[in-house]
Amino acid sequence: MSVIGSVGTSLPQFAMNQKEIQTLVEHIFPRPERELKRLLPVFENAAVEQRQFVVPKTWFTEQHSFVERNHVYQEEALKHSVSAIDACLNSEDFLGRSIPYEAIDSIFFVSSTGIATPSLDARIINEREFREDIRRIPLWGLGCAGGASGLARAHEWLTANPACVALVVSVELCSLTFQKDDDRKSNFIGTALFGDGIAAAILIGEDSPYQAYRKKAAPRIVKVDSRIKKASLDVMGWEIAHHGFEVIFAKSIPRLVDTFWKDHVFSFLKRQKTEESDYAFYVAHPGGKKVLQSIEEVLQINDKKLYYSYEVLKRHGNMSSATVLYILKKWMEEDIGIGERSLLSALGPGFSSELVELVWSS
């Protein structure tokens, strides 16, 4: 087993409330006024109040090449990754002592909103005193499932290397993928939901001496499980276009929670010999309000068990893979009792599902 010892985040500097974004989109979106009026309620019904971006409002009114977008991605992703890692390794909320950069044995870098070769983790390593023998595991293209997948893959690595420490870094700059001239409904819905987010989590192997650096009960990963639905590539993802990424966002996603995800989660609970009521709360990635409501219906739970999923969606929007780490951080800041169970989940392109069972331990 491995324990998530700390989570740190880095907030982009440009904050916009939902009404401000709605007004902006109303002026620049290439659709007839009558059709816009029909679509605009999406903003009011998204359960989002504000979001943060790495670019200012004026950026969205201009056309940008893929080269320009990706250049901004590389610069901002590096800056905010390092900031989130610093916050994670030096957190006074979660750690009694700072974990040194030299302690990190592997780094899992998760992103889907820009590209770089060498991958961004190589650039991050040059910014701090990481060791030269650090293992690099970049994970690209997992979308909204990436944060959960990063935790799961890091846990599996630590199961094989229980004396080690792994770092998961998730960076999603969704704002840079906005296509001003893309008049598809999926792009419009994306503008009502997505924001920029950056988070880092430290996972400590059960035999690592850095277990002693923790100062409070923390989530221990006891089981992970992945599932992919065949012939579902058109549900979620990117279409690579001349100016960059165009969002694929099918309206069937909430229905897939009631079918594909329901089958996955109940199969998982059966193998774990647990029931929905055994989990004090759920660290569920909020693909949107409808997805969270579908999760409530499947599990027959109330929205209190998804409290921080709704709160993070409200305060930051859907930040793709980074979102679930923001939610986990909020739960970790609470005084969760030792022995409490929780279930972390996320859905993403593929169409795929990731589940991570957590038991809070001293």
Side-chain angles (χ1 to χ4, degrees):
M1 291 187 286
S2 58
V3 66
I4 303 170
S6 177
V7 177
T9 59
S10 181
L11 284 181
Q13 69 182 98
F14 299 103
M16 294 173 63
N17 64 50
Q18 188 76 332
K19 186 62 180 178
E20 188 179 4
I21 299 170
Q22 177 181 329
T23 301
L24 174 66
V25 170
E26 191 174 359
H27 283 96
I28 66 174
F29 204 73
R31 283 218 175 198
E33 183 177 349
R34 182 179 176 182
E35 198 167 355
L36 273 175
K37 289 186 182 296
R38 182 177 61 84
L39 292 172
L40 284 174
V42 171
F43 282 84
E44 299 169 6
N45 299 327
V48 177
E49 289 186 1
Q50 65 179 6
R51 284 173 274 167
Q52 297 80 37
F53 306 106
V54 297
V55 289
K57 181 164 62 174
T58 54
W59 192 90
F60 298 100
T61 66
E62 303 162 352
Q63 189 62 269
H64 304 279
S65 68
F66 177 69
V67 172
E68 181 186 354
R69 296 171 189 272
N70 206 59
H71 178 72
V72 175
Y73 168 82
Q74 291 179 357
E75 284 193 343
E76 295 294 327
L78 176 60
K79 177 179 72 176
H80 283 288
S81 292
V82 173
S83 176
I85 292 168
D86 289 347
C88 175
L89 299 186
N90 298 289
S91 173
E92 295 182 358
D93 291 330
F94 305 128
L95 301 172
R97 285 180 286 172
S98 296
I99 294 178
Y101 303 97
E102 296 91 337
I104 309 302
D105 299 289
S106 62
I107 181 169
F108 292 74
F109 182 80
V110 181
S111 189
S112 296
T113 48
I115 58 174
T117 303
S119 49
L120 260 295
D121 47 286
R123 304 177 190 217
I124 291 168
I125 289 166
N126 285 314
E127 296 294 315
R128 293 293 185 267
E129 296 301 319
F130 292 100
R131 303 197 318 264
E132 290 188 348
D133 65 346
I134 191 171
R135 273 64 167 179
R136 294 169 49 213
I137 304 98
L139 303 174
W140 196 89
L142 296 172
C144 292
S149 297
L151 293 175
R153 303 294 82 79
H155 165 73
E156 291 168 339
W157 189 85
L158 288 171
T159 300
N161 301 277
C164 292
V165 175
L167 182 67
V168 176
V169 182
S170 175
V171 179
E172 301 294 3
L173 307 185
C174 302
S175 64
L176 302 181
T177 69
F178 174 68
Q179 299 288 336
K180 180 176 176 290
D181 296 327
D182 180 3
D183 66 353
R184 294 173 306 135
K185 185 178 178 181
S186 58
N187 186 41
F188 188 89
I189 293 173
T191 66
L193 279 176
F194 288 97
D196 296 348
I198 308 93
I202 191 78
L203 279 73
I204 307 170
E206 62 180 339
D207 295 335
S208 169
Y210 292 100
Q211 288 281 0
Y213 283 46
R214 297 191 292 113
K215 68 186 292 186
K216 61 183 295 186
R220 189 178 299 273
I221 299 177
V222 296
K223 188 69 175 178
V224 302
D225 200 68
S226 305
R227 183 169 294 191
I228 187 167
K229 179 179 176 61
K230 289 188 175 182
S232 62
L233 301 180
D234 58 348
V235 172
M236 186 188 295
W238 296 125
E239 184 73 35
I240 309 302
H242 179 69
H243 289 290
F245 302 143
E246 292 183 352
V247 66
I248 299 171
F249 201 59
K251 63 181 180 181
S252 61
I253 294 171
R255 291 201 304 273
L256 285 168
V257 174
D258 194 42
T259 53
F260 169 70
W261 187 79
K262 181 179 182 179
D263 181 60
H264 185 204
V265 73
F266 281 116
S267 296
F268 181 80
L269 297 182
K270 184 177 180 180
R271 290 195 301 275
Q272 293 303 99
K273 298 180 180 179
T274 57
E275 298 180 356
E276 307 93 290
S277 58
D278 293 327
Y279 299 96
F281 56 88
Y282 290 81
V283 186
H285 171 79
K289 184 176 74 172
K290 288 184 179 179
V291 170
L292 291 177
Q293 290 173 336
S294 295
I295 289 174
E296 290 172 28
E297 292 174 9
V298 166
L299 297 174
Q300 289 297 289
I301 59 173
N302 60 46
D303 57 4
K304 291 182 180 179
K305 286 198 172 185
L306 294 169
Y307 179 75
Y308 283 119
S309 295
Y310 280 105
E311 278 295 299
V312 168
L313 180 65
K314 181 167 70 173
R315 302 298 179 193
H316 307 287
N318 181 342
M319 301 169 285
S320 192
S321 68
T323 318
V324 78
L325 297 180
Y326 276 64
I327 298 165
L328 178 62
K329 180 176 183 288
K330 298 301 293 184
W331 283 115
M332 288 175 64
E333 289 170 351
E334 299 286 340
D335 292 323
I336 306 299
I338 293 172
E340 292 279 22
R341 290 175 179 263
S342 54
L343 189 63
L344 184 148
S345 69
L347 295 163
F351 184 69
S352 60
S353 171
E354 198 78 45
L355 297 173
V356 180
E357 185 173 23
L358 307 170
V359 174
W360 295 72
S361 307
S362 59

